[in-house]
Amino acid sequence: MGEGDGLYAYPFSNSPFGIFVNEDLIKKAGQTDPQTLVDSGKWTYDEAEKIAAATAAETGKQGLVVRDFDYKAWENLASVWDAWGAAPWSADGKTCTLTDPKMVDAMTWIHDAVFQDKAMPGPGTTADFFAGESAMTITQISRASALDDSFKWELLPLPSGPAGHQNVIGQAGIGVLAKGKNAAIAADFLAYFTDPENAAKLAAYFPRRVSRS
């Protein structure tokens, strides 16, 4: 719904991003278990990149995959550049900040990981972590339904960067466009979609942050 210049929708998911790790591939490559780095406070993007590059070189698989990036959906790299304290635009949304030093540093790190160290897939190369084709993937926990017991895996927090550890969430909402041909029917569906019973069903698949008073 809209109010003045604002546009609103019912938020049914606030799914956090994490990094899934194929423990079997990393062990095969003789690399350090990333969980030990998490435990020691040394889980950084630099360390993740080293492990990913070495595992890719040793196994012939891919290293670190930012899911759904594919050199098309650049906004998915927010899970990486946030660790540099970078952003593609200013807080007020009026100024492009892709050339700011922090963003340049973040994109340089990504460039080197791809083209220099081969830690990330290059353009035109796809790898499905859930099919065992890469050592790590960054994605939302609500999008990991394809995981099974075909290999040993673990879920870790996003690595830290120069700006420290950052929590990143992906949000999804559903709304009704007043100018639609069937706005009234759509509004009825939205009411059904968001009633207590169906909201509980959604919560089984889409993590949400619940406020408590």
Side-chain angles (χ1 to χ4, degrees):
M1 66 179 180
E3 182 177 339
D5 295 329
L7 182 65
Y8 304 89
Y10 175 83
F12 66 86
S13 177
N14 288 297
S15 182
F17 282 81
I19 185 164
F20 288 87
V21 174
N22 184 324
E23 292 184 278
D24 290 344
L25 274 183
I26 289 175
K27 184 177 180 180
K28 182 178 179 180
Q31 295 301 300
T32 302
D33 181 358
Q35 180 64 61
T36 65
L37 297 175
V38 174
D39 295 341
S40 63
K42 297 179 180 179
W43 182 229
T44 65
Y45 270 102
D46 285 344
E47 291 300 321
E49 194 261 5
K50 291 176 184 177
I51 294 172
T55 303
E58 181 67 25
T59 65
K61 303 288 187 177
Q62 293 297 320
L64 172 61
V65 175
V66 179
R67 191 178 184 189
D68 296 327
F69 165 46
D70 295 331
Y71 296 88
K72 298 175 183 177
W74 291 86
E75 65 272 16
N76 285 325
L77 291 179
S79 55
V80 179
W81 68 48
D82 273 11
W84 272 257
W89 51 78
S90 58
D92 61 11
K94 296 180 179 180
T95 304
C96 175
T97 54
L98 283 170
T99 58
D100 282 6
K102 291 180 180 179
M103 181 60 82
V104 171
D105 288 345
M107 296 304 292
T108 298
W109 183 92
I110 293 170
H111 176 276
D112 291 348
V114 174
F115 297 103
Q116 179 174 298
D117 299 332
K118 311 298 182 185
M120 297 174 67
T125 300
T126 59
D128 182 2
F129 172 86
F130 303 103
E133 297 173 356
S134 70
M136 308 175 191
T137 190
I138 295 174
T139 190
Q140 293 165 277
I141 62 174
S142 61
R143 304 194 61 207
S145 60
L147 278 172
D148 55 28
D149 59 359
S150 59
F151 58 85
K152 189 176 180 182
W153 57 271
E154 59 187 348
L155 172 60
L156 303 177
L158 292 175
S160 299
H165 171 72
Q166 306 296 319
N167 293 314
V168 181
I169 62 171
Q171 297 177 309
I174 182 170
V176 174
L177 299 179
K179 294 184 179 180
K181 293 182 179 180
N182 298 291
I185 295 174
D188 285 343
F189 172 75
L190 180 58
Y192 170 76
F193 184 84
T194 59
D195 69 20
E197 182 180 356
N198 287 316
K201 293 177 181 178
L202 282 171
Y205 303 96
F206 297 100
R208 294 192 296 163
R209 183 173 60 187
V210 179
S211 298
R212 296 178 182 270
S213 57

